[in-house]
Amino acid sequence: MEGTRKILRWIDALSEWTGKAVSFGILGLAFVIGYEVVMRYGLDDPTIWVHEFSVMLFGTAMIISGAYTLRYNGHIAMDIAYGRLSERTRAILDVVTCFALTLPFLVVLIWFGGERAWKSLIRLEHDSTQWAPPIYPFRLMLPIGAFLFLLQSLAKLVRDFIIIFGGKSEAGR
Amino acid sequence: MDIGTITALLFLALIIGLLSGAPLVMVLGGTTVLFTYLLLGPQALMMIAANTYGVMHNFIIASIPLFVLMGSVLERSGIAVELYDTMYKFLGSVRGGLAVGTVIICMIFSAMCGISGAATVTMGLIALPSMMERGYRKEVAIGCISGGGALGILIPPSVPMILYGLFAGESIGALFASGVFPGMLLGGLFIAYILVRCYLQPDMAPALPVEARPTWREKAGSLKGVIAPIILIAAVLGSIFGGIATPSEAAAVGAIGAFACAAIAGKLNWSIIKESCYSTLKLSSMIVWIIMGGTAFTALYTSVGAVDFIKEVMGTIPVSPYVVLLAMQCAVFVLGMLMDPGGIIMICTPVFVPVIKHLGFDPVWFGLLFIVNMEMAYLTPPFGFNLFYMKSIVPADVSMGDVIRSTVPYVVLQAVCLIICILFPELALWLPRMLLGG
């Protein structure tokens, strides 16, 4: 039990720190696009790199933070019927939906995203634009982000099992 | 299997998923995986990952976290306190004046950020205690904040409008422009209602006693709090409507401007920057993941032949186009009681918009009606966001029932606004045509 709890805390911490790290990407996004606005409209000297760089910042921040948002229960759900159930019944439902919906979706993203990222990585693929940045690190973000999300979902799954078979005290965060 | 059966099964699966309390993103994503596998085979699952890359690579969607960041910084910047001070000094001497001022601040906030929560929470913390202290009855004080806060999605910029634009393939700028006059109309209806009600029932919301009223010098001095927000609104909306900047560029400028406002107010410090980033990330990651699930769902539904199916069905229904339009609005209203606006837009747009185009209606106008309808979703139980926001802020002796009762007149006014927009499409469509042509 102690070992399990340690792993759960470790997954929470991983989601926490990856999420907090990429959150500053949004700050970067604002200032990078702001820089482009000044260069283009102010100095009439548009950059060739801002557009691609900003979508990379955006995509990375959004995909990596799925786990962080899950950790804080931030993915909205419709709780009209669900909210009235007992904690144990909710945990059972969560286990069912985790296997039926969450795991298939994330596994598909990891598998097929990973395939695409791998093809990109072995060719050290660059974007086919004027700036031509390496694109493979960005391609890797999808399987990584989905994997982090998967880890946090599995942590939730374990907690649900603890609620179902033990008591809520054991599941404490 | 024919497309009619597939449609029925697909939406049945969505409904069961939603009722089971799973996160919306997983309901959309998981259902898509299951049906893609069954209908199109395992290799077609690649499409889901490809669509997700598409969302991660979309410069328009990148405006969503920026608009959220803008609101999140402004919420912490102290601007609301200064605006409230201005309203207090100018309107406090009128019966119900503080409630009117609250609606006006909500409108200003709506023009600064794309989501509804920022204004509701901020005004709940600032205006509510002040109004209660001045002897305002709770139905006036709570109602004006919940109602005014919902204006956030109608007055541009608006994240739900961006979502609609993405899924309907319409110009975000045109949608933003279509919300300006209906937003002002709805705000005006709220204000008129408050003034009339408080005039007829003076004990609802007493005016400030004569000796507590500020001098003209004090009033003029308080105006400086209005300057920064007005410059910010002019910069963000002006650059979009002027066709100068894309929504993402305007949002970036707005977010930087919000930091500047906080700095001018002396509120900019590391912990505000950090907190704004974290809360922005949580909210926008939630929205963008739902877009990923929604995009996958829409792609599947389209590739099994949805558009032809919808057209075929519409061809066989022997009713007037307006009956179909009203039926859709009713469906959206009912969904609004149960779900959040973002999810409703993502589920309904791919089904409704082909029908609307087929019937010859303007999709921008329909989007606007959709958004006005979603205003009500924020206030209708059992699942109204602003009801929950308000309940978390009000004093303990105010029950959820009190909160819901206080919003009833505002929901009625929103319905009136919806009907006006249906009867007079020009209210929504004149400005986009003037600004963007076509």
Side-chain angles (χ1 to χ4, degrees):
Chain A
M1 203 65 228
E2 195 44 50
T4 314
R5 236 177 297 176
K6 211 169 168 182
I7 295 171
L8 291 180
R9 272 202 303 271
W10 188 82
I11 294 176
D12 282 351
L14 182 67
S15 302
E16 178 93 29
W17 287 109
T18 48
K20 285 187 170 172
V22 295
S23 77
F24 297 103
I26 299 177
L27 206 57
L29 182 63
F31 283 93
V32 167
I33 299 180
Y35 174 78
E36 163 77 7
V37 168
V38 172
M39 292 307 281
R40 183 175 338 151
Y41 302 112
L43 305 175
D44 204 19
D45 181 21
T47 66
I48 57 164
W49 57 273
V50 162
H51 191 88
E52 283 161 279
F53 185 65
S54 56
V55 289
M56 285 182 182
L57 273 177
F58 157 76
T60 304
M62 292 300 116
I63 204 81
I64 296 291
S65 58
Y68 174 74
T69 307
L70 179 65
R71 158 141 170 62
Y72 288 99
N73 213 0
H75 290 286
I76 53 148
M78 197 171 104
D79 62 354
I80 168 165
Y82 179 83
R84 291 160 201 246
L85 305 171
S86 75
E87 191 183 20
R88 190 150 179 275
T89 321
R90 283 201 301 240
I92 295 171
L93 257 182
D94 284 347
V95 168
V96 174
T97 54
C98 184
F99 280 109
L101 302 170
T102 308
L103 298 185
F105 183 49
L106 292 175
V107 167
V108 163
L109 290 184
I110 295 170
W111 185 265
F112 289 91
E115 194 181 299
R116 177 85 178 269
W118 176 249
K119 279 182 192 158
S120 179
L121 182 67
I122 49 175
R123 292 196 288 131
L124 295 178
E125 186 190 2
H126 283 241
D127 226 351
S128 52
T129 54
Q130 199 187 351
W131 182 40
I135 187 93
Y136 55 90
F138 180 64
R139 294 263 179 250
L140 274 172
M141 289 306 154
L142 174 56
I144 293 174
F147 181 70
L148 290 170
F149 204 141
L150 184 78
L151 276 184
Q152 191 68 46
S153 304
L154 292 176
K156 173 145 178 23
L157 191 66
V158 171
R159 289 192 168 106
D160 286 330
F161 276 123
I162 296 175
I163 291 173
I164 295 169
F165 296 111
K168 57 180 160 186
S169 55
E170 295 282 351
R173 295 201 159 190
Chain B
M1 212 178 341
D2 74 293
I3 173 74
T5 321
I6 293 174
T7 303
L9 287 176
L10 211 47
F11 282 88
L12 185 68
L14 276 192
I15 291 166
I16 294 173
L18 284 169
L19 284 174
S20 72
L24 183 55
V25 46
M26 293 306 163
V27 175
L28 289 165
T31 310
T32 308
V33 168
L34 180 72
F35 279 80
T36 306
Y37 185 85
L38 292 176
L39 297 171
L40 306 172
Q43 270 315 307
L45 291 170
M46 180 68 210
M47 194 169 80
I48 295 174
N51 281 321
T52 307
Y53 277 122
V55 173
M56 289 169 70
H57 223 286
N58 188 317
F59 192 64
I60 297 175
I61 306 178
S63 67
I64 291 177
L66 294 173
F67 279 126
V68 175
L69 178 65
M70 185 180 173
S72 180
V73 174
L74 286 173
E75 197 181 316
R76 295 169 170 79
S77 69
I79 272 190
V81 179
E82 295 205 20
L83 281 173
Y84 188 73
D85 182 57
T86 312
M87 295 302 158
Y88 185 90
K89 289 193 167 126
F90 274 85
L91 297 167
S93 50
V94 182
R95 280 182 204 160
L98 298 182
V100 171
T102 301
V103 173
I104 296 175
I105 297 175
C106 286
M107 291 169 75
I108 295 174
F109 252 72
S110 304
M112 291 194 292
C113 47
I115 40 170
S116 185
T120 314
V121 171
T122 324
M123 292 321 289
L125 294 174
I126 297 161
L128 187 63
S130 159
M131 283 190 275
M132 300 287 248
E133 197 179 303
R134 296 285 161 196
Y136 277 48
R137 291 256 209 91
K138 57 191 173 193
E139 54 257 61
V140 177
I142 297 171
C144 71
I145 297 174
S146 335
L151 288 168
I153 63 167
L154 177 56
I155 297 178
S158 155
V159 170
M161 283 182 184
I162 298 175
L163 294 179
Y164 178 85
L166 275 174
F167 282 80
E170 291 301 318
S171 147
I172 313 272
L175 283 164
F176 278 7
S178 76
V180 172
F181 288 122
M184 286 179 4
L185 168 73
L186 187 54
L189 286 173
F190 287 172
I191 291 170
Y193 161 76
I194 293 168
L195 287 175
V196 169
R197 179 96 192 256
C198 296
Y199 178 77
L200 297 174
Q201 291 173 283
D203 61 318
M204 293 293 286
L208 286 183
V210 179
E211 63 277 10
R213 290 176 191 173
T215 63
W216 278 103
R217 181 178 291 274
E218 284 170 331
K219 285 185 187 178
S222 75
L223 275 177
K224 70 176 187 332
V226 187
I227 299 170
I230 286 180
I231 293 176
L232 200 54
I233 294 171
V236 173
L237 291 184
S239 59
I240 298 176
F241 290 159
I244 303 169
T246 62
S248 305
E249 288 168 342
V253 171
I256 296 169
F259 280 113
C261 285
I264 292 167
K267 293 267 181 152
L268 193 64
N269 56 41
W270 179 234
S271 92
I272 284 203
I273 296 176
K274 227 168 47 180
E275 290 308 315
S276 307
C277 283
Y278 297 162
S279 76
T280 301
L281 185 74
K282 242 177 278 174
L283 194 58
S284 36
S285 143
M286 180 268 277
I287 298 171
V288 172
W289 272 86
I290 295 178
I291 296 178
M292 292 170 188
T295 311
F297 183 81
T298 309
L300 166 71
Y301 192 46
T302 311
S303 69
V304 294
V307 177
D308 289 339
F309 169 66
I310 292 168
K311 279 189 186 143
E312 194 183 309
V313 171
M314 293 321 298
T316 61
I317 295 182
V319 290
S320 125
Y322 280 91
V323 175
V324 178
L325 182 82
L326 286 177
M328 283 179 182
Q329 294 299 331
C330 291
V332 168
F333 175 73
V334 172
L335 281 174
M337 294 198 273
L338 307 174
M339 278 175 67
D340 91 294
I344 299 173
I345 289 172
M346 244 163 297
I347 292 175
C348 292
T349 309
V351 182
F352 285 0
V353 170
V355 178
I356 283 301
K357 285 182 181 161
H358 184 72
L359 294 174
F361 290 121
D362 186 326
V364 170
W365 175 61
F366 182 73
L368 184 272
L369 298 181
F370 206 146
I371 301 289
V372 176
N373 204 323
M374 287 297 96
E375 291 267 304
M376 294 189 273
Y378 279 93
L379 300 180
T380 42
F383 193 91
F385 266 139
N386 282 10
L387 301 175
F388 294 122
Y389 281 136
M390 284 314 291
K391 181 69 186 93
S392 67
I393 293 167
V394 292
D397 62 322
V398 180
S399 73
M400 192 62 171
D402 290 334
V403 174
I404 293 171
R405 265 189 299 281
S406 75
T407 62
V408 171
Y410 297 88
V411 177
V412 172
L413 292 174
Q414 287 166 341
V416 169
C417 178
L418 179 61
I419 293 167
I420 294 177
C421 292
I422 292 177
L423 294 177
F424 305 102
E426 279 300 291
L427 189 65
L429 294 177
W430 182 79
L431 191 62
R433 201 170 49 236
M434 287 320 277
L435 292 173
L436 307 161

